[in-house]
Amino acid sequence: MTQLVWNGLFVGSFYALVALGYSMVYGIMKLLNFAHGDLYMLGAFTGFAVLGAAGGVSVTMALPLLLLVLVLTMGTTGLAGVLLERVAYRRLRGAPRLSLLITAVGASFALEYGMRAAAGADPRVYPVRLGGTSLEVLGARVTLQQLALVGVAVVLMVGLNLLVTRSREGRAMRAVALDPRAAALMGIDVDAVIARTFFLGSALAGAAGVMAGAHYGKIDFMMGFLIGLKAFTAAVIGGIGNIPGTMLGGLLLGLLESFGTFWLGGEWRDVFAFGVLILFLTVRPTGLLGERVTERV
Amino acid sequence: MHKIRGTALAAVMASLTLLTAGCGQGLLGSDDAGSGENKDEPIILGMLIPQSGSEAAIGPYMSNAAQMAVDEINEKGGVLGRKLELKTADDACDPQTAAAGANKLVTEGIAVSVGGYCSGATLPTLPIFNKAGIPMVIPVANSQELVDQKLKNVFLINGTGGQQAEAAAAWMTKDGAAKAALMHDNTSYSKDLALRTQKLLDEPGGPETAILEAVTPKESDYSANINNVLAKKPDYVYWTGYFQEAGLLARQFRQAGYEGKILVGDGSVSPKLIEIAGAEAADGVYATMTQTPETLQGAESWIANYKQKFGSDPGPYSNQSYDAVRLAAEAITKAGGTDGEKVIAALEAIDGFSMFSGPLKFTPEHTLSTGGFQILVVKDGKFVLQDPLQ
């Protein structure tokens, strides 16, 4: 039982990290950025390239080195996210939402197959792996490295929450999310705020990508597709646009999958997870913590 | 006036005849070898293989070996005095891409198809080649579904799912397994193999099935599935899917504290499995597999030739692809031309043609009479022969 909970929370923390970017971008510009999962993939490959450039490293140095790679990758994928917004979305500001959505799907394919052209279709394996010296905690097998990864995820999420709720930049983001036009009238540079949002969301997805690469080992150009869908589901469950809600949604989806597999069997896991998505979309589209938004004119 | 009309009519008649002749050429482009046409034209063999997508690594192993067979035959004077030529097309292990590739090969006028790796992608190409009257010698794809189509142009020279299931059950029984967990990825080939193995395990004697577990391919975290499997306390796990998940599963099973044995199907036999799982977790993983170049008896010179030609070792299914080309050439020779019907008859009549898998004779279902599956094991970072199961 505790094993089920731990498995769910571990997978869920990845979902939550990726889902945050989805949720923030949606909150600010009402865009479902379907290319977001591919930024996770981009992060995994960036980390792979940086590690490759660092050359052979002893195992004892693995954790500090990975942290350094993590920071570098977050910067790179963050900038990639900003670039993506600049190239693919900014010109469509004010265009019908459907155009943005279709552009997002196009951007997703461009990233996936661009990576395939650049790195090949073969899966790659991380040169530095987080091994597994596992210990028993309340009957569940947990590795120290898993704990470290969850710790990093928690630190990133708490940091993000502080940034959004306590800083000037965060206040600007919230203002733009509430009403972009009014925010612009108050002297907020909306484009800059949107770029910043993309940077933060993409950096988190990139961090999740590196962590997945280091933990699971295998990366390939399509790895962002499925997790992108799962992250979207997590964001909807928790309340898209709402940051604590999204984190909750990620963890909850991880738990749902873990218990769904246990109760119904492996072939029903995705049916169960996406069934919950449909349920939420029909019964409570604002998600668990999302507020009911009064229709704005 | 009358005369002119007559000439016009004749001209129309003539062009009509030409047109129908032209059509005949296009539709049945390959059957004119028998009627003694242009001897300079090469006989074209078509090969659908994954050159992109998740299974792209396999493509070169197959096309290189096929090209090697073509070159060897051409050095000896070709087939019926004509040169052989190999044309490849990408199936990306994807049904739609495969169908497009098959249509392309048909318009290029191939005489025999010698490709087919992923069963799911090969399946939709069967009716395309069948309609065009092109015989298929399928080197690798081996799902029972291909056999169940009952198309007479389809010949499988790899062991079938049923034969592989027998090998898996035989090995687990021989190795003293008590409870086996069967895991598949819900694709046609993998599920078929798992279900067939389960059926065999249901019979008295040998291990019983602990659980039948399906996973979603292309994910990274299988801890939920592994948790399910371990709750049933199996001492053997048989994974029937492909190598990427096999590597992740082997690693995650060990991390979850599983100490029993792991057996994988032929789709998982790849050096990438060992790389993904890591040397430690991959060590001791068993596999049900048809012959690979490394486990072939007396193939040293063949391997050396391959290495000299392509600068790398042959890989999984190189030998089957090589044999597919040789078999196609043999059948065309016996048929005295490239007429589809005659080549099919020649393939059916073949008895004792020597291949890596042994002397060939097709069953009425156009499959091998014995699968030739053996058990490999990962040792020192490589798949080596554990038991030939003879």
Side-chain angles (χ1 to χ4, degrees), chain A residues 19-32 160-161 164 173-174 177-178 197 231-232 234-247 285-291 293:
Chain A
L20 279 172
Y22 247 113
S23 193
M24 279 163 42
V25 167
Y26 182 83
I28 287 217
M29 54 191 283
K30 304 288 172 285
L31 158 72
L32 288 176
L160 177 78
N161 208 25
V164 173
M173 283 168 70
R174 281 178 291 144
L178 224 54
T197 310
F232 170 65
V236 169
I237 290 176
I240 195 157
N242 179 311
I243 288 176
T246 304
M247 296 178 196
T286 51
L288 287 176
L289 298 192
E291 292 127 45
V293 192

Side-chain angles (χ1 to χ4, degrees), chain B residues 43-377:
Chain B
I43 297 174
I44 304 170
L45 303 179
M47 189 172 211
L48 271 172
I49 42 172
Q51 291 168 325
S52 64
S54 58
E55 311 302 316
I58 292 290
Y61 291 139
M62 294 178 67
S63 56
N64 284 350
Q67 188 60 49
M68 186 165 134
V70 165
D71 293 347
E72 282 177 12
I73 291 164
N74 283 342
E75 270 165 37
K76 289 184 195 140
V79 174
L80 304 170
R82 295 167 68 187
K83 293 276 181 207
L84 278 186
E85 190 187 327
L86 182 72
K87 286 209 167 144
T88 59
D90 185 16
D91 71 11
C93 198
D94 165 65
Q96 278 159 7
T97 318
N103 281 317
K104 177 171 161 265
L105 288 178
V106 169
T107 55
E108 282 174 348
I110 65 166
V112 178
S113 159
V114 293
Y117 171 74
C118 294
S119 297
T122 307
L123 192 59
T125 69
L126 263 49
I128 297 172
F129 287 125
N130 184 51
K131 221 177 240 172
I134 295 170
M136 299 175 75
V137 176
I138 302 178
V140 185
N142 57 358
S143 165
Q144 193 66 29
E145 269 188 275
L146 302 172
V147 183
D148 292 344
Q149 303 301 309
K150 296 195 170 48
L151 294 175
K152 69 184 182 65
N153 66 320
V154 176
F155 294 82
L156 276 66
I157 63 166
N158 197 2
T160 59
Q163 288 162 341
Q164 181 162 197
E166 280 168 26
W171 169 251
M172 288 192 282
T173 308
K174 191 173 172 181
D175 205 31
K179 280 170 92 180
L182 306 174
M183 299 182 76
H184 64 87
D185 66 7
N186 255 334
T187 61
S188 94
Y189 149 83
S190 170
K191 190 171 180 180
D192 176 69
L193 177 54
L195 290 178
R196 274 166 201 282
T197 311
Q198 183 186 29
K199 219 174 192 174
L200 291 172
L201 294 187
D202 281 346
E203 287 164 18
E208 53 180 292
T209 306
I211 185 174
L212 186 72
E213 179 80 5
V215 311
T216 312
K218 308 279 172 248
E219 288 220 52
S220 301
D221 197 296
Y222 291 111
S223 57
N225 304 96
I226 286 171
N227 201 54
N228 256 8
V229 169
L230 292 187
K232 298 285 189 298
K233 304 212 181 323
D235 58 355
Y236 241 103
V237 170
Y238 186 32
W239 164 250
T240 60
Y242 291 94
F243 64 86
Q244 299 194 19
E245 291 80 22
L248 292 171
L249 281 169
R251 185 179 175 85
Q252 291 173 21
F253 261 114
R254 294 301 179 215
Q255 280 178 347
Y258 173 66
E259 280 165 1
K261 290 171 176 170
I262 299 173
L263 177 68
V264 297
D266 60 347
S268 291
V269 177
S270 157
K272 278 276 174 196
L273 180 157
I274 300 162
E275 211 184 315
I276 293 170
E280 208 177 309
D283 201 57
V285 168
Y286 296 106
T288 49
M289 179 65 183
T290 47
Q291 275 146 335
T292 65
E294 294 84 41
T295 62
L296 288 172
Q297 307 290 323
E300 291 82 8
S301 70
W302 182 79
I303 294 172
N305 282 347
Y306 184 104
K307 215 169 168 174
Q308 193 199 348
K309 213 170 155 96
F310 303 107
S312 62
D313 279 319
Y317 304 113
S318 288
N319 41 322
Q320 282 90 340
S321 306
Y322 177 84
D323 276 339
V325 170
R326 286 177 53 243
L327 179 60
E330 167 81 5
I332 294 171
T333 312
K334 284 271 165 64
T338 54
D339 176 67
E341 296 284 331
K342 287 183 190 153
V343 174
I344 289 168
L347 281 167
E348 281 173 343
I350 271 172
D351 190 356
F353 178 70
S354 142
M355 300 205 308
F356 281 122
S357 56
L360 174 76
K361 180 165 174 48
F362 283 112
T363 64
E365 287 87 45
H366 294 180
T367 58
L368 294 187
S369 25
T370 54
F373 279 97
Q374 45 188 4
I375 302 296
L376 308 185
V377 66

